[in-house]
């Protein structure tokens, strides 16, 4: 009987030891994965560095102009303004971008690696109408990146001393654009390139949205790139591109569009509908209430509408652009006092405060969605 009891004790100890060992191995594996994740996100900025370098060097355009995959030396030979190019540095950049599937790599019969275009690098073509190159250069410019180093300060102190952008540069972002012509140009070019991309998706995904209106105001329309695409698709529209005076002062002429300078916090030109692409996410709830109330005054009571092109954050979403929405939110945290991306509940609250009892969300093939807001 005693022997049987001792056996049970030994068996229990072995099982316990085995479980403890298994639990310890699982904990060690989880810790290792956690460490790897921290390294990954800690150094993720290097991907942007590599892509920015490729855009500045015109790598995608060089390959595209040849119409087929080409060697590293061929790329290097075609880089403009390169008095003493270094092929080893370019090799390291391309190695990263091939791994990230920005470019492809193919071995030729003689063993030489040749680099080709992928669906991702097509968006980096600087001479393409549908390109993200200008936006990429804006987002990776030191002026844009530096405010991120002040984000922890506003967690501690709030924004009583200004946004991270203000703390970094001494001016809020939209003041800074009016004072720095080069940054203003960079900013406008970035907005214009995304306007073309998003406008194409809006026109395709909102085919009947503009049919029943005769006049449209693009609030915060920049230099008119977004509105010009809409007017081209719907030439019956009488369109106004409305933005700050220093912005519209640099706007090119477009058929069917009148450029008007002003302040959306004071008043908005009247029209059948108001269009706002990536405007409200730049501002706090308090500011958005003012803007939307001015929109409400500018449109007809019964037939008017506001067409908002902006993010609708999905906290549990796993859609194609859902992670990017949260990245935009972090960017806004650094750049704007009160600017943020919003969930559907956040949008619903804003509309309730500003006289829009009815809204509709339409998903399109782009980063943002269309949000219609109606006064009745």
């Amino acid at each position: 009987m005693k022997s049987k009891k001792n056996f049970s004790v030994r068996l229990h100890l072995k099982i316990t030891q085995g479980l403890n060992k298994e639990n310890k191995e699982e904990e060690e594996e989880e810790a290792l994965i956690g460490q790897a994740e921290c390294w990954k996100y800690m150094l993720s900025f290097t991907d942007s560095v590599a892509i920015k370098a490729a855009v500045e060097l015109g790598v995608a355009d060089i390959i595209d102009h040849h119409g087929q995959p080409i060697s590293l030396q061929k790329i290097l030979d075609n880089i403009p303004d390169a008095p003493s190019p270094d092929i080893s540095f370019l090799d390291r950049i391309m190695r990263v971008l091939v791994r990230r599937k920005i470019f492809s790599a193919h071995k030729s019969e003689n063993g030489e690696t040749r680099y080709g275009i992928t669906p991702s690098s097509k968006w980096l073509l600087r001479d393409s109408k549908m390109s993200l190159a200008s936006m990429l250069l804006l987002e990776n410019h030191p002026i844009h990146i530096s405010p991120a180093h002040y984000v922890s300060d506003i967690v501690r102190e709030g924004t009583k001393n200004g946004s991270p952008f203000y703390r970094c540069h001494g001016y809020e972002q939209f003041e800074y654009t009016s004072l720095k012509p080069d940054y203003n140009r960079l900013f406008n070019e970035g907005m214009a390139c995304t306007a073309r991309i998003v406008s194409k998706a809006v026109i395709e995904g909102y085919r009947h949205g503009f049919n029943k209106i005769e006049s449209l105001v693009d609030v915060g329309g920049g230099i008119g790139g977004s509105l010009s695409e809409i007017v081209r698709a719907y030439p019956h529209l009488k369109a106004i591109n409305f933005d700050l005076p220093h912005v519209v002062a640099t706007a090119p002429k477009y058929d069917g569009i009148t450029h008007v300078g002003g302040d959306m916090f004071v008043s908005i030109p009247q029209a059948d509908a108001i269009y706002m692409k990536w405007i409200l996410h730049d501002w706090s709830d308090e500011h958005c209430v003012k803007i939307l109330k001015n929109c409400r005054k500018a449109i007809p009571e019964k037939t008017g509408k506001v067409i908002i092109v902006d993010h609708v954050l999905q906290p549990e979403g796993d859609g194609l652009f859902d992670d990017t929405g949260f990245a935009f939110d972090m960017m806004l945290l650094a750049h704007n006092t009160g600017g943020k991306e919003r969930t559907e509940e956040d949008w619903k609250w804003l509309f309730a405060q500003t006289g829009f009892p009815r809204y509709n969300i339409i998903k399109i093939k782009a980063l943002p969605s269309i949000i219609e807001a109606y006064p009745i």
Side-chain angles (χ1 to χ4, degrees), residues 20 23 42 51 75 97 108 114 129 131 176 192 195 209 243 272 304 350 360 362:
N20 287 339
N23 288 340
M42 184 193 313
I51 297 174
I75 296 171
L97 296 180
S108 62
R114 295 183 178 179
K129 186 178 180 181
S131 171
Y176 203 68
D243 211 312
D272 295 334
L350 273 181
N360 182 39
I362 303 169

Side-chain angles (χ1 to χ4, degrees), residues 285-297:
D285 289 343
E286 181 182 0
H287 286 98
C288 286
V289 166
K290 291 180 181 177
I291 296 168
L292 286 169
K293 283 185 175 180
N294 284 337
C295 288
R296 180 75 168 75
K297 295 174 184 176

Side-chain angles (χ1 to χ4, degrees), residues 17-252:
Q17 289 171 352
L19 289 173
N20 287 339
K21 183 180 179 181
E22 185 178 332
N23 288 340
K24 186 177 180 181
E25 289 175 350
E26 287 181 0
E27 288 175 2
E28 289 176 348
E29 179 67 19
E30 288 174 355
L32 191 62
I33 292 171
Q35 182 191 156
E37 289 291 294
C38 283
W39 280 110
K40 174 183 174 182
Y41 295 119
M42 184 193 313
L43 299 172
S44 61
F45 73 93
T46 59
D47 289 339
S48 286
V49 169
I51 297 174
K52 181 189 178 188
V55 170
E56 290 176 331
L57 295 169
V59 174
D61 294 283
I62 291 168
I63 298 172
D64 187 61
H65 288 163
H66 281 78
Q68 61 183 356
I70 59 175
S71 69
L72 203 63
Q73 186 62 55
K74 195 78 169 177
I75 296 171
L76 201 69
D77 290 343
N78 284 273
I79 293 174
D81 303 318
S84 54
D86 191 311
I87 197 167
S88 65
F89 291 161
L90 181 61
D91 180 40
R92 290 161 65 182
I93 291 168
M94 294 302 287
R95 182 171 59 186
V96 170
L97 296 180
V98 168
R99 187 173 177 84
R100 297 291 179 261
K101 297 181 171 58
I102 302 298
F103 294 101
S104 61
H106 315 268
K107 286 284 186 182
S108 62
E109 291 181 1
N110 64 2
E112 182 182 57
T113 301
R114 295 183 178 179
Y115 298 90
I117 296 292
T118 68
S120 295
S121 48
K122 286 181 180 179
W123 290 98
L124 303 179
L125 296 169
R126 299 193 70 172
D127 60 356
S128 171
K129 186 178 180 181
M130 290 296 159
S131 171
L132 284 168
S134 295
M135 188 64 168
L136 187 142
L137 293 176
L138 171 65
E139 295 297 347
N140 286 276
H141 193 280
I143 289 174
H144 240 54
I145 292 176
S146 298
H149 297 292
Y150 295 79
V151 165
S152 59
D153 290 346
I154 65 164
V155 173
R156 295 187 184 97
E157 306 166 13
T159 55
K160 61 184 178 182
N161 295 320
S163 68
F165 194 98
Y166 180 87
R167 292 170 186 237
C168 182
H169 298 300
Y171 297 93
E172 293 295 354
Q173 185 177 26
F174 296 116
E175 292 177 302
Y176 203 68
T177 58
S178 67
L179 298 170
K180 302 288 184 179
D182 287 345
Y183 179 58
N184 186 48
R185 176 190 54 77
L186 185 70
F187 187 89
N188 287 337
E189 287 175 356
M191 295 301 104
C193 86
T194 58
R196 287 190 291 269
I197 294 166
V198 174
S199 295
K200 183 176 182 292
V202 168
I203 291 164
E204 291 177 355
Y206 196 57
R207 292 185 182 276
H208 305 295
F210 299 108
N211 282 337
K212 295 182 179 180
I213 59 175
E214 294 183 1
S215 56
L216 181 71
V217 174
D218 187 354
V219 173
I223 57 175
S226 180
L227 190 58
S228 69
E229 298 296 324
I230 294 171
V231 171
R232 187 176 291 113
Y234 297 89
H236 73 278
L237 286 172
K238 295 177 182 178
I240 293 174
N241 179 53
F242 181 69
D243 211 312
L244 293 170
H246 76 269
V247 176
V248 297
T250 65

